[in-house]
Amino acid sequence: MKPSLSVIKIGGNVIENQTELNRFLKLFATVEGPKILVHGGGKKATRLGEKLGIKTTMVNGRRITDKDSLEVAVMVYAGLINKSIVSQLQAQDCNAIGLSGADAGIIQAVKRPSAPIDFGFVGDIVSVHTNALRTFLSSGLVPVFCALTHDEKGQMLNTNADTIASELAIALSRDYSTTLYYCFEKSGVLSDVSNDHSVIPHINKQTYYSLIKEQTIGEGMLPKLENCFHALDHSVHKVCVGNINMLQTKPSPFTTLTL
Amino acid sequence: MKPSLSVIKIGGNVIENQTELNRFLKLFATVEGPKILVHGGGKKATRLGEKLGIKTTMVNGRRITDKDSLEVAVMVYAGLINKSIVSQLQAQDCNAIGLSGADAGIIQAVKRPSAPIDFGFVGDIVSVHTNALRTFLSSGLVPVFCALTHDEKGQMLNTNADTIASELAIALSRDYSTTLYYCFEKSGVLSDVSNDHSVIPHINKQTYYSLIKEQTIGEGMLPKLENCFHALDHSVHKVCVGNINMLQTKPSPFTTLTL
């Protein structure tokens, strides 16, 4: 039997709020067995960019990462946020090691093609090299990834944190029975977006298609669920979606997705 | 016989100049055997601080690291510079992994006592934990350290890069025959500060004391040499001081220090 591995992704809402982040890191430190943390960037990069007079260009509601914005992302994600998380986990006796996809050559990406829209220095993941990662995990280290990759030619690339989490979970499923956790502001996948108590406890592929047909799921949630089933289709054992309370010993309701 | 290890420190002058940095990284990638890079910060942090309106406070010619300056240092050293170096080394097929002293809990420091002068978030190294480092080195990874440590209580600390290099070299001398390289703008220790061709090729403790007595060595060089002999006194095999050309297969003259 493969050993278990938890890949836990936290989004901007947890990063933004220092009290929430502290509570999360305490919970995370208590999660048993090998584990990996993947963190998004939150609005700190946007705020730093504004202070530096770097304009945010948006196309179709999506941010363009130009050279200056990439520098800001590298400073905030790999520097400020990553090292703050690592040092705080170290204080909880959790032997964290901060990583970008460039470190130990773990996550290789390619710059997204510039047509039809040039998103700038944004990377699509090509491959995950698990050798070093497996060495870290078997040495008791806890990898903490920020949402940056590289192209193996010297260029750092901004990369979606949800995708980094799922691709890491997929790549490590060869050696581990992997559970992927997406922590966000809601309690789970909701049957009524306006009611946080309407958590759907379990979704499989069949119910997923029904939910889409019935247009039960909020539009923002659809790409997230697609990502989840992509992971499940590629050997990830289980995906859990909810707020940070799902890491508690006695968790509040959240959504579990399986095939 | 212990295996060899090179610990190579580059200063601000190399970091500042992109052409020089590229040349250094190409040379560094060709250095054989296990190796570690330690980099200083250069003036990028000062410039970013200025752009953000953070005032640099100096006492006795030394910078005070307040909360805002520390954030800038973490962003620039652990983010921008470290990841730029790591991604460029990866492009040279050198399997670099970027680290601060907090990562994998490798370098523990204490905040420098606030009397007589409160330097702010500046760390003095207490201990180096080599377990993870030795695992990295024996896996063929190349650690790249920025000049930051942590206090194991969740606080990052600004730490002198020369000291980080020497303390790493000392700690690893239990398992390796360690050579410490200090790369800076001059060709070595000079007998005539104004003449870059006056490199003293070899200094041992006896000649070191004579040089001090004769006041041959420039004042800026004295603390550097003290640091070198501290390393030699603590089992480091050899210290080399010079510009980046000392890493060439046919190096130009530089200074070697031994006991």
Side-chain angles (χ1 to χ4, degrees):
Chain A
M1 219 177 77
K2 293 177 188 172
S4 297
L5 170 73
S6 307
V7 178
I8 301 173
K9 188 256 168 176
I10 45 167
N13 70 307
V14 181
I15 303 279
E16 283 298 303
N17 180 329
Q18 191 60 48
T19 317
E20 189 80 348
L21 180 59
N22 290 345
R23 209 166 78 78
F24 167 77
L25 293 174
K26 275 185 189 155
L27 281 172
F28 178 81
T30 66
V31 171
E32 284 187 15
K35 55 193 168 187
I36 293 175
L37 176 58
V38 180
H39 61 83
K43 288 171 192 144
K44 281 190 184 178
T46 314
R47 281 200 300 272
L48 180 65
E50 279 167 5
K51 275 192 197 168
L52 293 171
I54 297 167
K55 277 183 195 138
T56 306
T57 316
M58 307 283 280
V59 173
N60 296 349
R62 296 174 75 173
R63 195 187 306 178
I64 307 297
T65 306
D66 61 12
K67 195 174 162 291
D68 288 340
S69 308
L70 180 72
E71 281 207 350
V72 168
V74 172
M75 291 197 289
V76 173
Y77 302 169
L80 197 59
I81 298 177
N82 193 267
K83 296 317 163 200
S84 161
I85 289 177
V86 166
S87 59
Q88 286 175 68
L89 284 176
Q90 286 286 341
Q92 312 277 343
D93 273 334
C94 171
N95 201 1
I97 177 167
L99 298 166
S100 73
D103 295 295
I106 293 169
I107 311 175
Q108 185 198 0
V110 285
K111 191 170 174 292
R112 190 168 297 168
S114 55
I117 299 169
D118 187 356
F119 286 106
F121 295 102
V122 168
D124 291 318
I125 297 175
V126 175
S127 57
V128 176
H129 304 296
T130 58
N131 272 5
L133 258 186
R134 284 182 285 125
T135 304
F136 300 162
L137 291 168
S138 59
S139 312
L141 290 170
V142 178
V144 177
F145 279 91
C146 63
L148 294 164
T149 58
H150 76 144
D151 68 355
E152 295 190 347
K153 294 171 197 157
Q155 181 63 57
M156 296 298 292
L157 294 165
N158 208 346
T159 302
N160 182 279
D162 282 10
T163 312
I164 288 185
S166 62
E167 292 299 330
L168 286 172
I170 290 168
L172 288 161
S173 289
R174 282 193 296 266
D175 302 285
Y176 292 90
S177 169
T178 308
T179 302
L180 178 57
Y181 295 84
Y182 283 116
C183 291
F184 72 146
E185 65 281 10
K186 299 203 181 290
S187 298
V189 182
L190 305 177
S191 58
D192 172 4
V193 179
S194 61
N195 177 7
D196 206 47
H197 295 293
S198 67
V199 175
I200 305 170
H202 183 235
I203 300 175
N204 62 24
K205 225 165 186 178
Q206 202 183 342
T207 51
Y208 170 54
Y209 289 132
S210 314
L211 289 167
I212 293 178
K213 223 184 236 171
E214 297 160 12
Q215 298 187 309
T216 308
I217 298 168
E219 254 190 47
M221 185 56 83
L222 283 177
K224 250 192 196 315
L225 289 188
E226 229 172 89
N227 200 15
C228 294
F229 279 103
H230 171 76
L232 292 168
D233 281 334
H234 291 81
S235 306
V236 170
H237 174 60
K238 197 168 73 175
V239 184
C240 300
V241 175
N243 65 31
I244 66 174
N245 294 324
M246 68 178 161
L247 300 180
Q248 289 176 155
T249 324
K250 290 183 181 175
S252 46
F254 61 93
T255 305
T256 302
L257 296 97
T258 56
L259 281 185
Chain B
M1 218 177 78
K2 292 177 190 173
S4 296
L5 170 72
S6 306
V7 178
I8 301 173
K9 188 256 166 177
I10 46 165
N13 70 306
V14 181
I15 303 280
E16 283 298 302
N17 180 329
Q18 191 60 49
T19 317
E20 190 79 349
L21 181 59
N22 289 346
R23 210 167 77 77
F24 166 77
L25 293 174
K26 274 184 189 157
L27 281 172
F28 178 81
T30 66
V31 171
E32 285 185 15
K35 56 193 168 186
I36 293 175
L37 176 57
V38 180
H39 62 84
K43 288 170 192 144
K44 281 191 183 175
T46 313
R47 281 201 299 273
L48 180 64
E50 280 167 5
K51 274 193 198 167
L52 293 171
I54 297 167
K55 277 184 196 140
T56 307
T57 315
M58 306 283 281
V59 173
N60 297 348
R62 296 175 76 173
R63 193 188 307 178
I64 307 297
T65 307
D66 61 11
K67 195 174 162 290
D68 288 339
S69 309
L70 179 73
E71 281 207 351
V72 168
V74 172
M75 291 197 288
V76 173
Y77 302 168
L80 196 59
I81 299 177
N82 192 267
K83 297 316 164 201
S84 161
I85 290 176
V86 166
S87 59
Q88 285 175 69
L89 285 175
Q90 286 287 341
Q92 312 277 343
D93 272 333
C94 172
N95 201 0
I97 177 168
L99 299 165
S100 73
D103 295 295
I106 294 169
I107 312 175
Q108 184 198 1
V110 284
K111 191 169 173 292
R112 190 168 295 168
S114 55
I117 299 168
D118 186 356
F119 286 106
F121 295 102
V122 168
D124 292 318
I125 295 174
V126 175
S127 57
V128 176
H129 304 297
T130 59
N131 272 4
L133 257 186
R134 284 182 285 126
T135 304
F136 301 161
L137 292 168
S138 59
S139 314
L141 290 170
V142 177
V144 176
F145 279 91
C146 65
L148 293 164
T149 58
H150 76 144
D151 68 356
E152 296 191 345
K153 293 171 197 157
Q155 181 63 57
M156 296 297 293
L157 295 165
N158 208 346
T159 302
N160 182 279
D162 282 10
T163 312
I164 288 185
S166 62
E167 293 299 330
L168 286 172
I170 289 168
L172 288 160
S173 289
R174 282 193 296 266
D175 303 285
Y176 292 90
S177 169
T178 308
T179 301
L180 178 58
Y181 295 85
Y182 283 116
C183 291
F184 72 147
E185 65 280 9
K186 299 201 182 291
S187 298
V189 182
L190 306 176
S191 57
D192 172 2
V193 179
S194 60
N195 177 6
D196 207 48
H197 296 293
S198 69
V199 176
I200 305 170
H202 184 233
I203 300 175
N204 61 25
K205 224 162 188 181
Q206 202 183 342
T207 51
Y208 169 54
Y209 290 131
S210 313
L211 290 166
I212 294 176
K213 222 183 236 170
E214 296 160 13
Q215 299 187 308
T216 309
I217 299 168
E219 254 189 48
M221 187 53 85
L222 283 176
K224 249 191 196 316
L225 290 187
E226 229 172 88
N227 199 15
C228 294
F229 280 103
H230 171 77
L232 292 168
D233 281 334
H234 291 82
S235 307
V236 169
H237 174 60
K238 197 167 74 176
V239 184
C240 301
V241 175
N243 64 33
I244 66 173
N245 294 323
M246 67 179 161
L247 299 179
Q248 289 175 154
T249 324
K250 290 182 179 174
S252 46
F254 61 93
T255 305
T256 302
L257 296 97
T258 56
L259 281 184

